[in-house]
Amino acid sequence: MTAAAGPVPAPPPRPTTRPLRVALVGNPNCGKSTLFNALTGRRQRVANFPGVTVERAEGEYRTENGAVEVVDLPGTYSLSPESPDEAIALDVLLGRATGVPPLDVIVIVADAENLERNLYLATEVLELGRPTVIALNRVDRLERAGLQIDVVELIHELGVVVVPVVATRGEGIDRLRHAIDRAVSLPRPALALDESGEAAAAPDSAHAAADRDAQRRYRWIARVAERTITRRAPRAASWSDRVDAVVLHKVWGPLIFLGLMLLVFQAMFSWAQPLADGIQALVALTGAGVRAAIPPGELRSLIVDGALGGVGSVLVFLPQIAILFLFIGILEDSGYMARAAFVMDRYMRPLGLHGKSFIPLISGYACAVPAIMSTRTIQQPKERLATIMVVPLMSCSARLPVYTLLVAAFVPAVAVGGVLSLQGLTMLGMYLMGTVAALLAAAVFRRTLLRSETRALIIELPPYAVPSVRVLGNSVWQRVRLFLRRAGTVIFSISILLWGLATYPRATPVDGRPVTQEQQLSQSALGTLGHAIAPAVRPLGYDWKIGVSMVASFAAREVFVSTMGTIYGVGHEGDDTKALGQRLRQERDPVTGRPAYTPLMAIGLMAFYVFALMCTSTVTMTHKETGGGWTGARWAALQFTYMLVLAYGAAFLIYHGGLALGFGGGA
Amino acid sequence: MIGATMQNLAVGAALAAAALYLARRAWKRVTAARQPRSGACGPDCGCDH
C-alpha cells in the first residue's frame, strides 16, 4: 500500500459555525461502527458479522473548527435498498429521513481487503456529487491477504480524498478527521463512468436498464482495480479455508454448533458457581450487618427481607449473565456467527425460514428487543414477519435467573457420563426447547398466515479473527451494567412494594395466640391477591406464592425470582443465610407435610417461562416493527396470545403427564 | 437507635418512593412508545437505542 504520511496540516476554517453533519456509509461488516466508535469515543455495538447495525446511531466529536456530528448507518451494498435497514441508510443519505438534517460530508467506509466489491456502492455515492471522503479500512490486513493498494492512484481515479485507516486500533483517525473537515471546501466529486456502447441505448425495461447500469459500474471498477490493486500469486487453501471445510461441513457443522452451545451451558454452571456463592455470602453478610445496626421493626424487615431478599436473590445470577455474554461475544467477534447461520440454513429452509433469520434468533438469546430490530436485514417481508413472531421464544438472558434458580434447586449436581453436568444439560434442554419451538412456530406461520417462497441465502462470511479483549470486555460490561441497573431500579422498587403487600395489613391474632409469619403472609394483601390467582395456576401444580410471582414477573421475568425472594424473606425472617433455592427445596405443604415444590413442578415452571412472553419491551417492539397502529397491535396481540397458550399448555402437559407417569406431584 | 415511629415513617417514605418510581417509569414507557423513533426500547432493554 502507498499512502502519504507526515504531520497533519491545519484545515481551513468552516464557512458556518453550526456542527458539521457527517454520515458513515459502506457495505455490511466493513467496520463502520468500529470507525464510528473511534471517531466519537462512543460504544456502539460492534461484531464480526454483517447486519449488526440496523438503526442509525449518532455521536459527536470536536475539532479546532467546531463540533462534528457523525451518523453511523446500517450497511448496504448499493443505493437500491432491498431490506428495511438498507432503506434507512438510503433515506439518510438522500435527506429523506424525518428529523435528520441534511448531510455536509459522506464518509464511504471501504474494506481494503474487498475493495472491488466496496467500490460498487462508492460509485453510486460519488454520483450524488456530495462532499465525500473514503476511509479505506483494515489496511493492516492487506499484507497477509497478499494485496497492495496504490492509494495515490485510487485518489486520482475516484477524485476524492482516500484515507487509509485501521479503525480497531485508531490508526489514521486524526487524518480522517482532517479530511472530513476539508471535504466541504474541496471540489465536489464528478465520477465519469463508461457511457459508451449499450449504456447509451434506450432501455427496454427497468430491469434491463438496472442490469446495464450494474455492468457499466463493474466494468469501471475492474479498470480501477487493475490500476490500483496488485495481487501476489494466489495462495493455496488458507487456514481459514481449512477451518471452514470443517465448520461448514454438513455433518460436522451442526455438531460443532451443538457442542459449542453445550460448552456454554456447562461453563455457566461450573464457572459461575464459586462467584455466585461469593455474592450469596456477601448478601447474607450485609443482612447480618443491617440486623446488627437496626433494632427489630418495620424498617429492618423492609431492608433485609424486602430489598435484600428481593434484589439479593437476583444479584446471585450476575456471574451466569456475564459468562453467557462472554460466550456470545466470542461467537460474534470470531466470525463464527455468520458461519453458524450458513450451517443452519439447511435446516431452517424446510421450515420456511431464511438462513438470515438465524442471526436474529441467536441474538434472541441475549435480548429479544434488539433481536427483533435485527430482522431488518431480512429482505422478504413475510420471512421477516415470521422471524419477528418467533424470536421471543428464544430464551433471553432475563429468563436465566429463573432457570438457574429452579435447576440449582431441583436438579441434582451430578455428572452424566463422568464429564457433563446434569444441571448444564437441563439448562441446554430449556434453551433447545425454546429454539425448537421457535422453528416449529415459524413453520406454522410460514404455512398459514405468512406463506411465500423462501429465498436462497447469500451471506458474506467474514474473516476469522481473534476476538478483541476490548470489544468482549465492553460487551460483557454493558450487559453487567444493565443487569445491575435493572436490579438497582426496577427490581429494587418492585421488591419494596411487594414487601409492603406481603407485610400489610397486619394479621389479627386468633384466640390470643401470636400470629406466625406464614399466617401473616397468607393474610396480607399479597396473600389475598395470591389466593385470588391460585385457581388459575393450580391446574399447573403451583401454589399461590408461585402464582403471584408469575403475575409480578410480567413487569420483568427476573422479578419472579425477586418476588419469591421477598416472599420467603418475609415468611422466614431471621434466616437470610439460606439461598432461595435451598428454601424452596425445604418448603413443606402445611396440610400434607410433603415437599411443596418438586422437580416435576420445576420443569413445568421452566417450560412456562420458556414459552411465555412476559416482556412489555418485546411486545412494544413487535408492535413497532410490524407496522405500528392497528396492524402492529394485531401482530403483537397474536404473538402474546399464542405464546401464553403454548406456555400454559406445556406446563399443564408436563405436570399432568409427569403425574400420570408416576414422577410425583407437589402442593 | 432508630425508634419505631421513625422506622414506620421511613418505611412509608420508601413505599411511596418505590410506587412513584414505577408509575413514572410506566408512564415514560407509554409515552416513548408513541414516539416515532425511540420505540419500545426503554432504559433497560439493552439495545442502546
Side-chain angles (χ1 to χ4, degrees):
Chain A
M1 187 194 71
T2 54
V8 179
R14 284 189 214 137
T16 65
T17 51
R18 71 168 174 80
L20 197 67
R21 300 265 320 164
V22 178
L24 304 183
V25 62
N27 285 181
N29 206 38
C30 69
K32 293 177 295 302
S33 297
T34 309
L35 185 61
F36 173 80
N37 290 345
L39 280 170
T40 63
R42 286 198 55 187
R43 290 175 174 179
Q44 174 79 355
R45 183 173 172 243
V46 293
N48 187 16
F49 61 87
V52 178
T53 306
V54 291
E55 178 65 281
R56 67 171 193 265
E58 297 184 18
E60 191 180 284
Y61 66 87
R62 295 194 73 81
T63 67
E64 56 194 28
N65 287 320
V68 180
E69 291 175 358
V70 186
V71 187
D72 181 24
L73 295 175
T76 180
Y77 290 105
S78 75
L79 293 187
S80 307
E82 292 198 348
S83 57
D85 61 327
E86 292 185 351
I88 290 169
L90 184 65
D91 286 347
V92 173
L93 278 181
L94 299 183
R96 298 191 307 218
T98 48
V100 183
L103 300 168
D104 297 309
V105 179
I106 298 170
V107 175
I108 302 170
V109 185
D111 178 3
E113 262 192 293
N114 298 292
L115 183 59
E116 284 160 282
R117 173 165 53 68
N118 285 242
L119 281 179
Y120 189 93
L121 174 68
T123 61
E124 293 189 317
V125 174
L126 289 170
E127 280 183 339
L128 297 175
R130 311 284 296 279
T132 304
V133 175
I134 293 186
L136 190 62
N137 193 19
R138 297 174 180 158
V139 289
D140 56 329
R141 297 183 184 179
L142 289 174
E143 176 65 26
R144 198 179 54 198
L147 296 169
Q148 197 174 17
I149 294 177
D150 185 341
V151 175
V152 175
E153 181 61 25
L154 193 61
I155 292 170
H156 175 74
E157 291 289 343
L158 300 175
V160 292
V161 176
V162 178
V163 184
V165 295
V166 182
T168 49
R169 298 204 295 253
E171 290 175 16
I173 299 302
D174 284 343
R175 189 167 292 280
L176 179 63
R177 285 185 178 139
H178 172 72
I180 290 170
D181 259 355
R182 285 190 58 194
V184 277
S185 55
L186 293 176
R188 303 291 176 93
L191 198 65
L193 299 182
D194 176 23
E195 296 291 346
S196 63
E198 69 263 54
D204 47 1
S205 73
H207 183 76
D211 200 32
R212 267 199 300 277
D213 179 62
Q215 287 175 20
R216 186 171 64 106
R217 290 180 197 281
Y218 282 125
R219 277 198 302 275
W220 182 85
I221 289 166
R223 272 204 307 278
V224 171
E226 197 179 306
R227 289 175 197 154
T228 56
I229 303 173
T230 312
R231 284 188 177 77
R232 287 202 303 262
R235 288 176 296 174
S238 65
W239 71 269
S240 167
D241 297 331
R242 287 194 291 272
V243 172
D244 275 345
V246 180
V247 167
L248 302 179
H249 191 270
K250 63 182 177 184
V251 176
W252 298 119
L255 287 178
I256 288 171
F257 176 68
L258 204 63
L260 284 172
M261 291 291 113
L262 187 61
L263 176 72
V264 173
F265 296 115
Q266 292 293 314
M268 268 161 54
F269 267 94
S270 51
W271 297 1
Q273 201 52 52
L275 292 168
D277 290 344
I279 294 174
Q280 177 66 42
L282 203 63
V283 171
L285 198 69
T286 311
V290 174
R291 280 185 198 288
I294 303 177
E298 306 289 271
L299 182 62
R300 190 173 92 168
S301 174
L302 170 72
I303 295 172
V304 178
D305 308 321
L308 273 176
V311 175
S313 56
V314 172
L315 278 184
V316 169
F317 303 104
L318 184 63
Q320 265 106 349
I321 302 271
I323 288 174
L324 175 70
F325 283 101
L326 176 69
F327 274 97
I328 289 179
I330 291 172
L331 295 182
E332 287 182 348
D333 218 31
S334 62
Y336 179 74
M337 201 62 105
R339 285 161 174 90
F342 179 81
V343 166
M344 297 310 286
D345 181 57
R346 179 193 305 269
Y347 302 95
M348 291 170 69
R349 187 177 299 276
L351 301 169
L353 274 187
H354 194 260
K356 269 194 179 175
S357 303
F358 179 77
I359 289 175
L361 290 178
I362 290 291
S363 304
Y365 283 153
C367 176
V369 172
I372 288 174
M373 286 179 78
S374 70
T375 61
R376 290 178 184 177
T377 58
I378 301 168
Q379 288 101 336
Q380 220 283 335
K382 287 185 177 174
E383 285 173 353
R384 177 169 179 251
L385 198 46
T387 311
I388 290 174
M389 294 301 283
V390 303
V391 157
L393 283 168
M394 307 299 286
S395 285
C396 67
S397 59
R399 284 151 162 134
L400 194 56
V402 182
Y403 296 164
T404 312
L405 170 71
L406 296 171
V407 167
F410 294 104
V411 178
V414 294
V416 177
V419 186
L420 302 171
S421 121
L422 183 62
Q423 293 184 330
L425 283 174
T426 311
M427 198 77 155
L428 178 66
M430 291 303 130
Y431 277 75
L432 282 181
M433 191 192 289
T435 309
V436 170
L439 296 178
L440 293 180
V444 172
F445 277 115
R446 295 286 284 144
R447 280 162 178 74
T448 53
L449 295 175
L450 301 170
R451 215 179 296 196
S452 74
E453 200 180 323
T454 305
R455 284 193 188 188
L457 171 69
I458 300 173
I459 190 165
E460 183 183 342
L461 297 181
Y464 284 110
V466 176
S468 150
V469 175
R470 193 166 51 85
V471 170
L472 283 184
N474 182 46
S475 163
V476 172
W477 167 241
Q478 293 298 327
R479 290 294 169 169
V480 165
R481 195 171 59 95
L482 193 71
F483 183 77
L484 290 175
R485 194 167 67 186
R486 240 168 119 92
T489 54
V490 183
I491 293 172
F492 177 71
S493 304
I494 290 177
S495 298
I496 285 177
L497 273 190
L498 285 171
W499 174 89
L501 291 172
T503 307
Y504 304 110
R506 286 294 185 192
T508 45
V510 182
D511 301 333
R513 279 178 296 182
V515 176
T516 64
Q517 288 173 346
E518 190 62 36
Q519 282 171 333
Q520 165 57 40
L521 195 58
S522 186
Q523 291 174 36
S524 67
L526 194 69
T528 309
L529 184 70
H531 290 304
I533 295 166
V537 295
R538 203 168 291 132
L540 308 180
Y542 310 147
D543 63 2
W544 72 265
K545 292 173 188 171
I546 290 189
V548 85
S549 300
M550 284 166 76
V551 171
S553 68
F554 275 93
R557 288 181 179 98
E558 305 96 317
V559 171
F560 173 84
V561 176
S562 64
T563 307
M564 291 296 274
T566 303
I567 288 174
Y568 280 92
V570 173
H572 299 78
E573 202 177 338
D575 185 18
D576 44 30
T577 53
K578 281 184 190 165
L580 180 57
Q582 201 180 345
R583 287 179 181 174
L584 295 181
R585 239 188 347 258
Q586 292 172 352
E587 179 77 353
R588 299 279 148 178
D589 185 307
V591 179
T592 63
R594 293 169 61 192
Y597 307 118
T598 63
L600 180 63
M601 285 170 56
I603 299 287
L605 190 54
M606 280 193 279
F608 184 90
Y609 275 90
V610 167
F611 297 123
L613 176 49
M614 302 163 106
C615 176
T616 48
S617 294
T618 304
V619 173
T620 323
M621 182 52 82
T622 296
H623 170 255
K624 186 183 164 216
E625 291 291 313
T626 52
W630 279 110
T631 310
R634 279 198 295 269
W635 285 114
L638 176 62
Q639 187 182 54
F640 182 84
T641 309
Y642 98 81
M643 287 181 67
L644 191 61
V645 169
L646 262 185
Y648 199 91
F652 184 89
L653 282 178
I654 287 172
Y655 182 64
H656 289 280
L659 282 182
L661 293 172
F663 288 115
Chain B
M1 296 295 277
I2 306 169
T5 312
M6 284 304 290
Q7 288 211 21
N8 287 339
L9 280 175
V11 164
L15 287 172
L20 275 176
Y21 172 77
L22 291 171
R24 181 173 159 268
R25 188 174 172 276
W27 175 249
K28 275 175 80 175
R29 176 155 292 188
V30 169
T31 51
R34 289 186 188 151
Q35 301 294 321
R37 189 170 166 261
S38 54
C41 308
D44 54 0
C45 87
C47 70
D48 286 339
H49 288 289

